[in-house]
Each structure stands twice: as structure tokens, then as C-alpha cells.
Amino acid sequence: MELIQQLVNGISLGSIYALIALGYTMVYGIVRLINFAHGDVFMVGSFVGFYAVTMLGVGFFPALLLAMASCAVLGMIIERIAYKPLRNAARIAVLITAIGVSLLIEYVTIYLRGAQPEAYPSTLLPDRNLKLFGVVISSQSLFILGTSLVLMILLQFIVHRTKIGKAMRAVSHDAEAARLMGINVDNTISATFAIGSALAGAAGVIFGIYYTKIEPLMGILPGLKAFVAAVLGGIGIIPGAMVGGLLLGVIESLVSGLGYSLWRDGVAFVILILILIFRPAGLFGKNVREKV
């Protein structure tokens, strides 16, 4: 029974990693860029949701939507100002820029509001213990998991059933050919950043409810773990990011459940090393150029 409870907790946590990892993998699939500022977009989403709840007095879903919209705009601004001018630059220049943008977001946030942590109201979502088949499961965990799954399904619909999704897949496969076919590559890349950032903003709000405490440097570790999840599933592959995030969350919860809670953060990077050694393309990857 304890195992089942840890699995439920792990899947709930993994769904947060998966939402963040989707942003990494979508951007990489389109422009072959590891956006290390993505974890800080997640942090901004968490604070937007917090202030929406505490200052505007809105509920969970309006706060979630406001955080997603704000992060989508932030993602497009980052892409247009920081990454678009470097599209044909050396990879190392873009990587250094991504790290610089990450630090800029963190310390601008600290300058604007200070470094003190905040706490999401515990009454935002009802938290009752449900007993299912003899296992006590938090209703909050189930709600968080359900919300994350809905967002992942919505992303799959956008990618496979909409015009912008088809454009994203075309640009991912061959940007120059897509341009010749009349697809606006710049707008498609901006839309990719917007969608990935919106998912990170949603993850920020969900994370704030799950862990309660938020602070300006909170995006570093979840951002790195989500990157590990994206690599684990196969960077550039959307289903891989989903599975990688869920798998990483389950592994972390099982490690904690076995009494090795001090190792729960380290285990993610052990997995990264093992994946890079034994299967660099990830669980869903192949030894060919990957597509979104």
C-alpha cells in the first residue's frame, strides 16, 4: 500500500516536471536550443499565480490562466530580444545568452520584490484524504495530476490538429523548406516559445500549491530536473518529455520512500549521467535528427 501511495505522489510530482520539460523539448525540436532561462519562466509563473490569488482574490483556474498568459508573453519577449538575433550564431554564444537571461530574470525579480519567500494559501484547493483500495491519497495530488494531464492532452491536440502545430512540425523537420512553402518561420518559433512558456507558468502555479513555498531562485533545481526529464525521454520529442518527467517524479518518490530522501535531488543527475553514457538519444530517441 505504501508503494502505491509513493507512486501516486511520484506521478503528481512528475507531471510538474513533465510540464516544464515540454518547454525545453519543444524549443530544442524547433531551433536546437537549450533554453536555460526556462526554469526562471516557471518561477515567474509561480509568482504571477501567487499575486493573482493574494492581491486580486481570484481562484485557482483564473490564477492558472493568468500565469500561463503572462509567461507566454515573457517567453516571446525573451525569444525576440535574446535569441532571434543569435539564430545563426555559434551554439556556445546562444548557450551563454540563455544562462545570462536566466540570471537576469532571477535578479530582476529579487530587485523588484526582495528575496524573501512567499507561501501559497493552503485554502486555494481543498485538501482531503481519500481512501481508495486501502490507500490514503490526497485529493490535492489527484487534482494537480488531473490538471497537468489535461494540459498535456491539450498540447498534443495543438501540435497534431491545428495549423500552428503543423507549422511547428514542418519547421522542426526542415526550416528552410517550411519557409519556401510559405510558413512564417519567425512567428512559428515565437509561438513555440509562447506555448512552452505557458506550460512552465502553469507548472509554476501547480508547484506553488504542491509545495506551498516559493522564492525567486526556486526555478533552478526544478528547471535542471526538467531538463534531465527531457533528455531522459529524448530531447526534442514531446511524448518523451512527458514520460521522462513522470518517470523522474516516480523515481524520486521511491527513493524518498525507501528512506534516502537526501539522495532525491542527486538521483536525477545520476540518471542524466547514465542516459548520456548508455543511451544519449533518450528512451524515445533514435540515431537520427529528432522531430517535434
Side-chain angles (χ1 to χ4, degrees), residues 67-100:
M68 291 177 72
S70 301
C71 288
V73 172
L74 177 61
M76 287 192 291
I77 291 171
I78 291 170
E79 189 275 327
R80 286 295 167 114
I81 294 175
Y83 298 144
K84 186 179 177 184
L86 299 174
R87 200 158 291 162
N88 297 316
R91 292 281 180 89
I92 189 66
V94 183
L95 181 63
I96 292 168
T97 301
I99 295 170

Side-chain angles (χ1 to χ4, degrees), residues 13-267:
L13 175 62
S15 67
I16 298 174
Y17 291 152
L19 287 177
I20 309 172
L22 285 167
Y24 279 113
T25 213
M26 288 174 68
V27 168
Y28 184 84
I30 294 284
V31 289
R32 298 298 182 266
L33 161 70
I34 303 297
N35 178 20
F36 281 116
H38 195 61
D40 299 294
V41 174
F42 155 82
M43 176 270 292
V44 169
S46 194
F47 273 103
V48 169
F50 171 77
Y51 288 121
V53 170
T54 55
M55 297 178 71
L56 301 181
V58 301
F60 170 72
F61 284 112
L64 186 76
L65 293 174
L66 187 59
M68 291 177 72
S70 301
C71 288
V73 172
L74 177 61
M76 287 192 291
I77 291 171
I78 291 170
E79 189 275 327
R80 286 295 167 114
I81 294 175
Y83 298 144
K84 186 179 177 184
L86 299 174
R87 200 158 291 162
N88 297 316
R91 292 281 180 89
I92 189 66
V94 183
L95 181 63
I96 292 168
T97 301
I99 295 170
V101 171
S102 172
L103 293 170
L104 178 67
I105 294 172
E106 288 168 9
Y107 288 98
V108 165
T109 304
I110 290 173
Y111 176 78
L112 292 175
R113 62 161 303 279
Q116 71 276 10
E118 300 284 3
Y120 265 70
S122 58
T123 55
L124 186 58
L125 283 179
D127 190 13
R128 293 186 297 273
N129 288 331
L130 306 175
K131 200 164 186 179
L132 300 173
F133 307 109
V135 180
V136 178
I137 299 171
S138 164
S139 62
Q140 199 174 79
S141 294
L142 292 176
F143 190 85
I144 286 169
L145 176 59
T147 304
S148 301
L149 289 176
V150 167
L151 289 171
M152 289 185 224
I153 291 167
L154 181 61
L155 174 65
Q156 285 291 82
F157 175 80
I158 290 171
V159 169
H160 294 284
R161 293 284 183 266
T162 66
K163 189 175 179 181
I164 188 65
K166 291 175 183 175
M168 285 162 56
R169 286 186 286 133
V171 173
S172 170
H173 185 74
D174 191 326
E176 286 307 312
R179 200 188 303 273
L180 291 172
M181 294 297 290
I183 293 171
N184 189 321
V185 173
D186 289 337
N187 285 352
T188 303
I189 292 171
S190 290
T192 304
F193 270 84
I195 294 169
S197 298
L199 291 173
V205 176
I206 293 169
F207 184 94
I209 292 168
Y210 195 78
Y211 284 105
T212 307
K213 189 183 114 173
I214 60 171
E215 46 94 15
L217 301 180
M218 64 177 274
I220 298 172
L221 195 55
L224 288 174
K225 286 183 181 179
F227 171 66
V228 172
V231 173
L232 174 61
I235 190 81
I237 303 170
I238 286 176
M242 295 179 186
V243 173
L246 294 171
L247 196 55
L248 184 60
V250 168
I251 292 170
E252 277 195 16
S253 288
L254 291 176
V255 168
S256 296
L258 291 171
Y260 299 101
S261 55
L262 292 176
W263 283 89
R264 65 172 293 167
D265 291 333
V267 74

